[in-house]
């Protein structure tokens, strides 16, 4: 080392330019300084994940997928040490040294992992690539289980994350990637196989197509058409005021100017010819007992009539009318409707969509657009998954931590600052889809939007599992209030601090359960449910169903929880006494 220093001193005496040359050479050999990398917002490195081949016994225990990360540096070298690559992976990772011993894989929290270079890793020179090989504990036939949302963090700035925007997942095409083991057929789908599977599908002649979607119970197609040359007069009783306004909105684009007003209220003679009338009414439907049953008639003399068993039935009939409307027409063209009679009702009372906004948040406008599309296809239940381990998405009065902590994901240094990245949400806090929540006003607007389209919103508050967002948020609340000397600090505690239970959820969490042995758990549930009910009342939309999840409770839960075991013993004693 001293010889090297004296050698540099001799060169310095000869020429400063030589020292500059030596410094540049050292930078090329050792990589770009960490501070230079950390000054950027995005990592100037590309990453590719690939399955190299599948491995089986006796090479490995069971089955594993040998995969790799290939790091390619751009105009700056990646140093040999002083950094970590973070990513989420629901396919899990084999922890410890990688296969080539160039790095170590560590689990940070849940499905968030970190790869650190080892002493054997020599860095990545500018413009070059290096590959690191590792195992997944199972075969990786589904690419949604591949690593997602990668980012770099340098040791000298641990709070700053650099997203890898150039990240590719290599498709699985080679036999060694698709092998299920000796003697087993590979998992592969070729164009020939797809063609063979589709050979059983036959074309349906246009004349055999159902007139509306879904296929109605009964319909009779007449001959000829009904021509609307002007906006029809909409007649409806007061109970269908909302449906009348809605169908007027549907028809408005065909006559952007001079549209006639709706006639809502007591029935009266039409101001126009009968053919230019759209009548909405409620009446018994002999063909079906469903409250969503309806009849739609298009008559050349009487115009259009939609009769529903309820307002919901009338609304479904309006959707069928929409199916019969032509595409947007040039000005001056009449709207021609086929002469038809449809008698329809849903086959299933529950026709729903589950939207998981806990794991991947979608803003209010997106949810409302989804509701519009559901209504268009006569779906009637929106199961809104509002809470889970990876996010709490509804503001609850009195518990701001639920959204301040539980609705935000991203890279951080403090363990309770917010939730960690998940499902490829990346490092940056307060960005979609990892972060976000609905305010009280947002939720009320969603409820009203859905009710106007006869879609019931079923909120889901997960318990007792899948509750890490709530558990962490209430831990933050407890610490804040304790620091302020507030006596209510423990009012909403969800986890027993003395719990030493060992368990792991399918999402790899070990600290995500509400403890049923704590009175504060039930106090929390009562408060949250009461606030959800209050929001529905404010919206004028009754809460008919609340989903609580109650799934995937891992083995070992509460086994070492003093409060949990006390509660179990108490209930067993009460059951024995009652017998």
């Amino acid at each position: 080392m001293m010889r090297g220093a004296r050698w540099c001193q001799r060169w310095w005496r000869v020429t400063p330019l030589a020292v500059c040359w030596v410094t540049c050479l050292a930078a090329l050999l050792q990589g770009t300084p960490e501070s230079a990398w950390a000054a950027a917002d995005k990592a100037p490195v590309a990453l590719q994940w690939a399955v190299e081949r599948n491995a089986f016994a006796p090479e490995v225990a069971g089955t594993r997928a040998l995969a790799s990360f290939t790091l390619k540096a751009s105009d700056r070298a990646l140093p040999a040490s002083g950094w970590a690559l973070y990513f989420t992976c629901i396919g899990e990772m084999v922890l410890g040294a990688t296969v080539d011993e160039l790095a170590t894989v560590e689990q940070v929290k849940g499905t968030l992992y970190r790869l650190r270079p080892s002493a054997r890793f020599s860095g990545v020179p500018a413009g070059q690539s290096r590959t690191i090989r590792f195992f997944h504990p199972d075969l990786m036939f589904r690419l949604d289980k591949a690593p997602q949302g990668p980012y770099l963090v340098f040791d000298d700035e641990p709070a700053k994350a650099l997203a890898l925007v150039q990240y590719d997942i290599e498709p699985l095409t080679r036999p060694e990637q698709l092998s299920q083991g000796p003697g087993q057929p590979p998992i592969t789908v070729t164009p020939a196989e797809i063609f063979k599977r589709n050979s059983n599908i036959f074309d349906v002649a246009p004349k055999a197509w159902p007139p509306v979607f879904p296929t109605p119970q009964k319909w009779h197609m007449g001959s000829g058409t009904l021509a609307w040359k002007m906006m029809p007069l909409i007649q409806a009783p007061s109970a269908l005021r909302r449906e009348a306004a809605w169908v007027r909105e549907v028809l408005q684009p065909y006559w952007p100017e001079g549209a006639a007003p709706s006639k809502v209220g007591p029935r009266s003679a039409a101001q126009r010819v009968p053919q230019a009338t759209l009548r909405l009414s409620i009446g018994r439907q002999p063909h079906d007992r469903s409250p969503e049953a309806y009849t739609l008639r298009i008559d050349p003399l009487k115009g259009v009539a939609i009769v529903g068993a309820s307002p919901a039935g009338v609304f479904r009939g309006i959707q069928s009318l929409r199916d019969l409307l032509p595409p947007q027409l040039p000005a001056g063209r009449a709207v021609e409707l086929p002469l038809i009679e449809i008698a329809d009702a849903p086959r299933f009372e529950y026709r729903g969509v589950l939207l998981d906004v806990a794991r991947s948040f979608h803003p209010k406008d997106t949810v409302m657009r989804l509701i519009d599309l559901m209504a268009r296809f006569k779906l009637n239940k929106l199961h809104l998954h509002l809470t889970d381990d990876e996010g709490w998405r509804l503001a609850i009065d009195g518990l701001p931590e639920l959204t301040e902590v539980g609705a935000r994901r991203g890279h951080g240094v403090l363990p309770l600052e917010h939730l960690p990245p998940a499902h490829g949400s990346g490092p940056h806090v307060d960005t979609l889809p990892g972060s976000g929540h609905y305010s009280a006003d947002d939720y009320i607007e969603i409820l009203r939007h859905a009710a106007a389209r006869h879609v019931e919103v079923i909120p889901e508050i997960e318990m007792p599992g899948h509750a890490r967002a709530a558990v962490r948020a209430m831990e933050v609340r407890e610490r804040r209030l304790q620091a302020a000397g507030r006596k209510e600090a423990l009012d909403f505690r969800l986890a027993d601090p003395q719990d030493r239970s060992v368990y792991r959820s399918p999402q790899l969490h070990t600290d995500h359960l509400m403890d049923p042995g704590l009175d504060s758990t039930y106090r929390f549930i009562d408060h949250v449910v009461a606030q959800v009910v209050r929001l529905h009342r404010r919206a004028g939309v009754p809460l008919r169903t609340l989903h609580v999840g109650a799934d995937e409770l891992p083995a070992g839960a509460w086994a070492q929880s003093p409060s949990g075991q006390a509660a179990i013993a108490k209930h067993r004693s009460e059951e024995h006494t009652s017998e």
Side-chain angles (χ1 to χ4, degrees):
M1 187 70 178
M2 291 300 296
R3 290 179 181 176
R6 285 193 289 270
W7 181 84
C8 288
Q9 288 173 359
R10 288 196 296 271
W11 269 95
W12 174 252
R13 292 189 187 102
V14 175
T15 169
L17 183 61
V19 175
C20 293
W21 182 85
V22 171
T23 303
C24 292
L25 179 61
L28 288 172
L29 294 175
Q30 297 180 6
T32 305
E34 297 171 22
S35 58
W37 276 79
D41 292 326
K42 299 176 181 178
V45 63
L47 180 69
Q48 183 186 58
W49 173 87
V51 172
E52 298 202 350
R53 62 180 177 85
N54 294 331
F56 308 95
E59 178 187 359
V60 296
T63 59
R64 291 185 175 184
L66 177 63
S68 64
F69 278 139
T70 298
L71 292 151
K72 182 177 181 180
S74 59
D75 57 343
R76 282 180 281 176
L78 181 66
S81 61
W83 55 270
L85 173 66
Y86 288 75
F87 54 92
T88 62
C89 182
I90 63 174
E92 301 187 44
M93 301 284 293
V94 173
L95 304 180
T98 57
V99 174
D100 46 24
E101 297 185 350
L102 295 179
T104 301
V105 178
E106 305 168 350
Q107 184 181 16
V108 180
K109 178 61 65 175
T111 58
L112 179 64
Y113 292 90
R114 174 173 57 210
L115 184 147
R116 290 187 178 278
S118 69
R120 297 186 62 176
F121 187 75
S122 58
V124 185
Q128 296 188 30
S129 301
R130 291 287 184 273
T131 298
I132 299 175
R133 294 175 174 83
F134 48 84
F135 277 121
H136 292 285
D138 206 347
L139 304 183
M140 299 288 283
F141 294 135
R142 288 174 46 187
L143 294 183
D144 62 314
K145 291 189 174 184
Q148 303 284 352
Y151 62 94
L152 283 176
V153 175
F154 285 87
D155 295 351
D156 58 354
E157 288 196 65
K160 184 171 184 178
L162 306 177
L164 274 69
V165 296
Q166 292 182 280
Y167 175 52
D168 293 320
I169 295 175
E170 182 183 88
L172 304 177
T173 58
R174 302 191 305 274
E176 63 269 23
Q177 296 174 314
L178 301 167
S179 172
Q180 297 189 86
Q184 298 294 323
I187 295 292
T188 180
V189 179
T190 65
E193 288 172 328
I194 295 175
F195 181 83
K196 183 178 179 181
R197 292 178 187 178
N198 292 343
S199 63
N200 293 327
I201 300 174
F202 57 90
D203 293 336
V204 177
K207 290 184 178 181
W209 293 353
V212 300
F213 182 86
T215 303
Q217 288 184 359
K218 304 175 183 178
W219 78 89
H220 174 72
M221 186 73 74
S223 59
T225 61
L226 170 67
W228 274 346
K229 297 180 180 180
M230 62 186 75
M231 178 78 168
L233 180 68
I234 302 170
Q235 293 183 331
S238 299
L240 297 177
R241 183 182 302 272
R242 190 166 59 184
E243 287 68 33
W246 200 90
V247 74
R248 175 183 171 82
E249 184 179 331
V250 170
L251 296 174
Q252 182 69 59
Y254 293 94
W255 298 278
E257 298 179 1
S262 302
K263 187 68 176 179
V264 180
R267 292 180 178 273
S268 62
Q271 303 280 321
R272 302 176 173 210
V273 293
Q275 298 94 321
T277 302
L278 170 58
R279 295 181 299 278
L280 308 178
S281 62
I282 297 175
R284 180 175 171 273
Q285 298 297 299
H287 64 278
D288 201 286
R289 295 181 179 180
S290 169
E292 296 178 89
Y294 70 91
T295 302
L296 167 64
R297 294 183 179 91
I298 301 178
D299 186 272
L301 300 177
K302 298 179 180 180
V304 178
I306 299 175
V307 183
S310 69
V314 173
F315 188 83
R316 306 304 175 211
I318 293 172
Q319 304 313 308
S320 291
L321 177 62
R322 289 184 71 184
D323 287 346
L324 299 173
L325 289 169
Q328 191 67 44
L329 297 173
R333 289 281 301 277
V335 171
E336 293 190 354
L337 297 169
L339 302 182
I340 192 171
E341 182 173 340
I342 297 174
D344 195 18
R347 182 180 177 187
F348 300 103
E349 189 279 330
Y350 190 111
R351 307 178 307 282
V353 170
L354 188 153
L355 180 62
D356 185 350
V357 295
R359 294 183 173 99
S360 294
F361 182 72
H362 298 283
K364 174 190 67 178
D365 291 344
T366 302
V367 178
M368 293 167 67
R369 175 59 177 155
L370 173 63
I371 292 170
D372 290 341
L373 295 173
M374 290 177 62
R376 186 70 182 87
F377 293 103
K378 303 185 177 87
L379 302 177
N380 67 342
K381 308 288 184 183
L382 175 59
H383 181 161
L384 196 56
H385 189 73
L386 290 167
T387 73
D388 212 299
D389 297 320
E390 298 86 2
W392 183 287
R393 305 305 188 183
L394 180 61
I396 297 296
D397 189 29
L399 298 177
E401 296 85 1
L402 286 173
T403 50
E404 291 174 356
V405 176
R408 302 169 69 235
R409 293 207 305 254
H411 178 76
V413 178
L414 302 177
L416 296 177
E417 185 178 9
H418 45 67
L419 300 180
H423 299 283
S425 58
H428 302 309
V429 184
D430 298 328
T431 58
L432 296 173
S435 299
H437 72 276
Y438 306 117
S439 67
D441 289 341
D442 289 337
Y443 187 65
I444 289 170
E445 190 173 352
I446 289 171
L447 291 177
R448 289 174 176 168
H449 189 83
R453 289 149 181 80
H454 297 278
V455 173
E456 179 187 357
V457 175
I458 301 174
E460 180 178 357
I461 308 296
E462 278 269 16
M463 61 182 83
H466 287 281
R468 189 172 191 274
V471 172
R472 296 302 97 192
M474 291 303 94
E475 185 176 346
V476 170
R477 179 186 183 276
E478 180 180 329
R479 293 187 180 187
R480 286 176 179 173
L481 294 180
Q482 283 181 332
R486 302 276 292 275
K487 61 181 181 180
E488 65 269 29
L490 304 182
D491 282 358
F492 296 109
R493 171 184 279 179
L494 296 179
D496 186 344
Q498 303 303 316
D499 187 0
R500 299 294 182 265
S501 303
V502 178
Y503 61 86
R504 191 182 79 158
S505 76
Q507 292 74 32
L508 313 183
H509 292 297
T510 59
D511 56 354
H512 72 304
L513 301 177
M514 297 183 185
D515 197 315
L518 298 174
D519 291 340
S520 50
T521 294
Y522 302 99
R523 193 177 299 116
F524 172 85
I525 294 170
D526 287 345
H527 180 83
V528 169
V529 172
Q531 291 302 313
V532 174
V533 171
R534 178 172 172 265
L535 292 175
H536 278 254
R537 286 176 177 166
R538 283 180 56 192
V541 180
L543 177 61
R544 295 187 177 91
T545 304
L546 177 71
H547 203 293
V548 296
D551 65 321
E552 293 188 326
L553 188 68
W558 311 309
Q560 302 298 323
S561 166
S563 58
Q565 290 302 306
I568 291 172
K570 178 182 176 182
H571 285 291
R572 283 177 177 170
S573 176
E574 291 175 351
E575 290 175 358
H576 180 73
T577 302
S578 63
E579 293 175 356

